[in-house]
């Protein structure tokens, strides 16, 4: 019987990559308006490379970018980029269709809910609070809480411990098969692959279930628990 549902955050509850793309494009445009003298395509390539080297959550990406261009930080250009990035991020940070409905239905069904994210704690909680999801989940486990990223079993075992359930009593929902599905299966959890958030064109996620819409999770839980 499934007693708990554990979700990945980015590209499972929220379309993180679309948000990131729009925010970066807005920042580049604002920096050019403030005096940046390189084409937007080159700026994007340089910023993408910094993210590739230092991680998608790296917070000083524009600082490094400007040092690379000018050998120093031009604070007028930097500030214009940061403000535009934050405004675009907030406008684009929305949940996937039916996420809120699905979460509230699962709560009404008596299930415990948690999040496992590889994001730093500050960034994960900011996204959850902005979406007004911070009161929904019983527990949120981030990279800062365990020092381990998926597919390490550590964050999954931590979530199970906090929720007070056995592995076979929980299902993991995530968009990254090599991290979310593999990690959850290692510890004996059921898995549901969020096909709707897949950015890798994954052919065979090897999950127990595949979701084209998160709302399909409700019928899966009912089936698993014999409630249909």
């Amino acid at each position: 019987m499934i007693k708990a549902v554990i979700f990945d955050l980015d590209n499972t509850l929220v379309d993180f990559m679309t948000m990131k793309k729009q925010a970066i494009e807005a920042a580049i445009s604002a920096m050019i308006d403030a005096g940046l003298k390189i084409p937007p395509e080159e700026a994007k390539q340089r910023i993408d490379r910094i993210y590739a080297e230092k991680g998608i959550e790296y917070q000083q990406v524009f600082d490094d970018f400007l040092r690379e261009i000018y050998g120093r930080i031009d604070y007028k250009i930097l500030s214009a980029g940061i403000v535009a990035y934050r405004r675009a991020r907030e406008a684009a940070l929305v949940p996937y269709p039916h996420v809120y409905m699905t979460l509230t239905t699962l709560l009404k069904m008596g299930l415990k809910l948690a999040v496992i994210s590889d994001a730093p704690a500050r960034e994960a909680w900011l996204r959850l609070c902005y979406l007004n999801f911070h009161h929904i989940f019983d527990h949120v486990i981030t990279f800062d809480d365990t020092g381990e990223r998926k597919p390490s079993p550590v964050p999954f075992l931590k979530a199970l411990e906090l929720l007070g359930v056995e592995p076979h009593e929980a299902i993991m929902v995530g968009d990254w098969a090599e991290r979310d599905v593999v990690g959850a299966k290692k510890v004996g959890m059921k898995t549901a692959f969020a096909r709707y958030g897949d950015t890798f064109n994954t052919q065979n996620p090897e999950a127990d279930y595949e979701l084209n819409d998160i709302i399909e999770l409700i019928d899966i839980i009912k089936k698993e628990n014999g409630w249909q």
Side-chain angles (χ1 to χ4, degrees):
M1 182 173 182
I2 300 298
K3 297 180 180 179
V5 185
I6 303 174
F7 295 90
D8 175 47
L9 174 56
D10 297 328
N11 301 316
T12 298
L13 298 177
V14 61
D15 190 347
F16 176 78
M17 295 310 295
T18 296
M19 178 275 290
K20 195 78 173 179
K21 178 177 180 291
Q22 292 178 5
I24 292 169
E25 289 173 351
I28 291 170
S29 179
M31 286 191 285
I32 289 173
D33 288 346
L36 181 66
K37 300 298 185 184
I38 66 172
E41 296 80 8
E42 181 183 345
K44 185 176 185 305
Q45 289 173 359
R46 288 173 179 262
I47 289 170
D48 286 348
R49 180 171 47 76
I50 295 169
Y51 275 129
E53 291 174 356
K54 299 195 175 181
I56 197 68
E57 298 281 1
Y58 183 56
Q59 298 298 300
Q60 281 76 49
V61 62
F62 299 141
D63 303 60
D64 288 7
F65 168 68
L66 291 173
R67 287 194 190 97
E68 187 178 285
I69 299 296
Y70 296 114
R72 62 181 179 83
I73 296 176
D74 183 313
Y75 284 98
K76 175 185 175 182
I77 296 175
L78 175 66
S79 298
I82 291 173
V83 169
Y85 179 94
R86 289 177 176 174
R87 286 175 176 167
R89 177 187 63 188
E90 291 178 2
L93 188 61
V94 295
Y96 282 106
H98 306 133
V99 165
Y100 189 78
M101 181 190 305
T102 300
L103 294 176
T104 53
T105 300
L106 294 174
L107 287 174
K108 290 176 182 177
M109 291 164 64
L111 294 163
K112 298 178 180 180
L113 305 181
V115 166
I116 297 177
S117 175
D118 286 338
R122 176 179 177 273
E123 300 308 313
W125 278 109
L126 281 172
R127 291 201 271 281
L128 288 169
C129 287
Y130 185 81
L131 294 166
N132 204 27
F133 284 172
H134 52 301
H135 297 306
I136 290 178
F137 296 97
D138 297 284
H139 299 284
V140 175
I141 296 90
T142 70
F143 173 73
D144 292 335
D145 296 309
T146 65
E148 297 275 352
R149 290 187 171 88
K150 298 172 286 184
S152 165
V154 174
F156 296 96
L157 293 172
K158 180 70 172 179
L160 294 170
E161 177 189 357
L162 291 171
L163 291 166
V165 299
E166 296 297 321
H168 67 274
E169 296 175 325
I171 185 168
M172 176 70 196
V173 183
D175 68 289
W176 196 336
E178 293 179 357
R179 293 190 179 185
D180 300 314
V181 174
V182 170
K185 289 176 81 71
K186 277 183 182 178
V187 301
M189 294 171 59
K190 293 278 189 178
T191 55
F193 178 64
R195 174 69 67 185
Y196 59 86
D198 177 28
T199 59
F200 299 106
N201 192 28
T202 305
Q203 298 302 308
N204 182 17
E206 298 185 356
D208 297 297
Y209 299 98
E210 291 191 29
L211 306 174
N212 293 309
D213 187 311
I214 196 171
I215 203 167
E216 296 168 7
L217 184 62
I218 295 170
D219 284 339
I220 289 171
I221 300 296
K222 289 179 178 178
K223 176 184 175 183
E224 284 281 340
N225 291 354
W227 294 343
Q228 287 184 329

